[in-house]
Each structure stands twice: as C-alpha cells, then as structure tokens.
Amino acid sequence: MPGYFRYSLDLLVERVKTLQNLGLRSVLLFAKVSDSLRDNKGTEATNPNGLMQRAIRVIKKSFPEMLVITDVALDPYSSFGHDGIVDGEEILNDNTVEILSKISVSHSEAGVDVVAPSDMMDGRVLAIREALDKANYRNVGIMSYAVKYASNFYGPFRNALDSAPGFGDKNTYQMDFRNRREAIRETLLDIEEGADMIMIKPAGVYLDIIRDISDVVHLPILAYQVSGEYAMTKVAIEKGYLSQTVIYEQLISIKRAGANSIVTYFAEEATKILQ
Ligand SMILES: NCC(=O)CCC(=O)O
C-alpha cells in the first residue's frame, strides 16, 4: 500500500505524536499478527497482552487526549481470513458475535475509547453494548460499520494485512453494491441496537448512499475512504496524471454528501492542505 507502513509499538508513539502535532484528534487502529497466532476462534484477539491491547495502552499513556478507536473483527486473527468463525463453507454468525463482544471488552480493559466492529455480523451491536455495560464500560462508544459493501476497493489494505479470505469471498455478510435500500435498513437496525456512530464504506463511489443515510439519520455519520480509493489517487498523483488538489476535492465531496467525519489514509496530507 503506497506510503503506508506497519508500525511496531515504539515507532507507533512517534507516529501518533506527528499526527497529534498536525492537529489530528483520533486514530483508528488495526493489528497485524503473525500467522502462527491465527486460528478459527480469534483466540489471540482477546489476549490481554495482544498487539492491539498493548497498542491501546501505549497510545493512551502517551496521549491521553487522543481518541483511540479500534477495529473489532476476526479477519486479522482468522486462519481463514474471514470476519467470522468458519464451519465448512459457512460463517457462524452467532458464535462470532459472542467473540466480538469479548474482543470489545478486552479492548476496553486496555483503555479504548470507541470500538468499531467492522465484521457485518447480524446482532453484534446489541451484544457488544450489553457486554460492555455488564463489564462496566458504559462510556465506551460503538462506531458501527453499518454499511460495508463487498467492494473491490479493499485490495491494498488486505495486502498490507495479509487478510484476504483464504476461500470464497465476503459476499454473504458484506453488502451487495447493487442494493441501495439495504443500506438504510442496516443503519436503522444498528442504531436500534445501540450504535453511537455509523460508518459507511467505501466512500467515493457511494456518495449517493452517504446522502441517503444522512437524510434520515441524525447520529454522527462517518465515511471511510478505503485503501483502493487512496491507492488510485496516490499513484495518479505520483505519476503526475493528477495534481494533489484532487485529494481536497474528493474529501469535500464526501463531506458534501453528508459525512460528519472521514476516515482516510490521506489524513496527514489533508491537514497540510487545510492549513
Ligand atoms: N476492516 C478494515 C477494512 O476492511 C479496510 C478496508 C480498506 O481500507 O481498504
């Protein structure tokens, strides 16, 4: 993924310091664990001393005011690269939801501010909310990936994390990009279950969906400009086909469509453009 790197914990502190100095106030963390730690149960994902848990502690210790959001999903921990527990060729929704709740509690024990389930299992927001409340983490928020399309734009991220599915695809739990109304249904369900913020993903070729949702939903709406959108633009700029100003135009159009916040790999560039 051009211009993007995996950070060890010592380098992570330097990286977050740079971002904070640029005026950024939140980070979204993803973990990359070694293949030997992957299984079909997400065991490593709940390790109190796992990479994600240590990363949360390191950041909150050095930058207590930085809002830390964590990815809650099985795919980086799954021997199959899927977001759920696999049985034959099936993804077991309810067993997965149970583990996602445990992962969320584990991240909360480490000090996370907001958990972000990105798996697209049904019923996970309610289960996570109940598990967090029961464990006394009532103030930990849930940013739900309510609308996540089975998109072809995730390629560079999956390469960076080695998290591409080992068999099949994610079409049985991620959404069909030909379907428009399902986005609203999924969003309203997640809100009813207790989501504090709604994520729509990808962003740039889903501006109509962002607009649809922002017309009916009055919670914070985030849009995720994903790795493929980033890589296309980055490479075109590097090759001189486009000027850097297209980044600003892309981000503004996502905002114009109705996003309150944008998750983007151009965050650092954006702070410079906006100065
Ligand atoms: N669960 C995280 C992702 O799928 C990221 C996608 C991307 O940036 O391409």
Side-chain angles (χ1 to χ4, degrees):
M1 191 163 156
Y4 258 75
F5 306 94
R6 302 173 189 157
Y7 289 93
S8 53
L9 295 183
D10 51 338
L11 299 176
L12 179 66
V13 173
E14 284 308 305
R15 180 79 187 126
V16 176
K17 192 189 227 167
T18 306
L19 298 177
Q20 193 180 45
N21 288 341
L22 288 169
L24 289 167
R25 309 228 186 294
S26 55
V27 286
L28 174 56
L29 304 181
F30 296 90
K32 158 78 181 107
V33 299
S34 75
D35 285 351
S36 62
L37 295 173
R38 294 181 183 209
D39 60 21
N40 189 26
K41 292 184 291 193
T43 310
E44 177 61 17
T46 55
N47 176 356
N49 279 317
L51 182 60
M52 185 66 104
Q53 288 79 354
R54 283 183 290 143
I56 299 166
R57 286 197 290 268
V58 162
I59 297 176
K60 286 310 279 188
K61 185 163 168 239
S62 304
F63 314 98
E65 63 289 5
M66 182 62 87
L67 186 88
V68 174
I69 311 171
T70 49
D71 184 54
V72 170
L74 281 188
D75 54 338
Y77 300 95
S78 159
S79 36
F80 295 102
H82 271 290
D83 292 56
I85 296 175
V86 173
D87 182 19
E89 297 209 332
E90 220 180 296
I91 306 294
L92 301 180
N93 187 94
D94 295 2
N95 307 52
T96 304
V97 166
E98 227 172 89
I99 295 179
L100 296 169
S101 306
K102 288 188 186 142
I103 299 174
S104 302
V105 170
S106 170
H107 290 185
S108 303
E109 280 163 0
V112 80
D113 298 299
V114 175
V115 289
S118 66
D119 51 283
M120 293 301 284
M121 297 300 123
D122 291 331
R124 91 280 208 222
V125 174
L126 179 62
I128 290 172
R129 185 69 271 158
E130 285 178 352
L132 292 177
D133 289 355
K134 198 164 154 218
N136 247 333
Y137 293 112
R138 292 184 188 85
N139 293 328
V140 172
I142 302 178
M143 189 187 83
S144 169
Y145 288 75
V147 181
K148 182 174 182 179
Y149 284 97
S151 170
N152 298 292
F153 283 94
Y154 303 143
F157 176 94
R158 288 182 184 164
N159 287 340
L161 254 79
D162 290 332
S163 64
F167 71 88
D169 52 40
K170 299 193 176 188
N171 292 350
T172 61
Y173 44 102
Q174 296 184 351
M175 289 166 49
D176 184 337
F177 54 76
R178 293 166 295 191
N179 193 327
R180 183 171 168 196
R181 276 180 302 189
E182 188 188 13
I184 296 176
R185 202 168 65 236
E186 287 280 358
T187 302
L188 296 178
L189 273 174
D190 282 10
I191 293 174
E192 215 173 283
E193 289 184 26
D196 299 293
M197 302 168 230
I198 292 299
M199 176 77 92
I200 300 164
K201 176 181 178 181
V205 287
Y206 293 88
L207 296 180
D208 55 328
I209 305 294
I210 299 174
R211 169 52 52 196
D212 281 350
I213 305 277
S214 67
D215 279 346
V216 292
V217 161
H218 303 292
L219 282 182
I221 295 171
L222 294 90
Y224 196 142
Q225 186 185 43
V226 301
S227 60
E229 300 178 72
Y230 162 80
M232 281 194 315
T233 308
K234 183 91 177 163
V235 170
I237 293 170
E238 274 171 13
K239 286 200 173 279
Y241 294 132
L242 291 172
S243 79
Q244 246 227 338
T245 46
V246 294
I247 299 173
Y248 182 65
E249 189 174 337
Q250 287 176 333
L251 297 177
I252 289 294
S253 54
I254 295 168
K255 177 116 185 57
R256 196 184 57 230
N260 304 109
S261 298
I262 304 172
V263 176
T264 172
Y265 300 99
F266 281 126
E268 195 171 343
E269 278 98 332
T271 60
K272 290 173 189 160
I273 292 167
L274 290 171
Q275 267 164 17

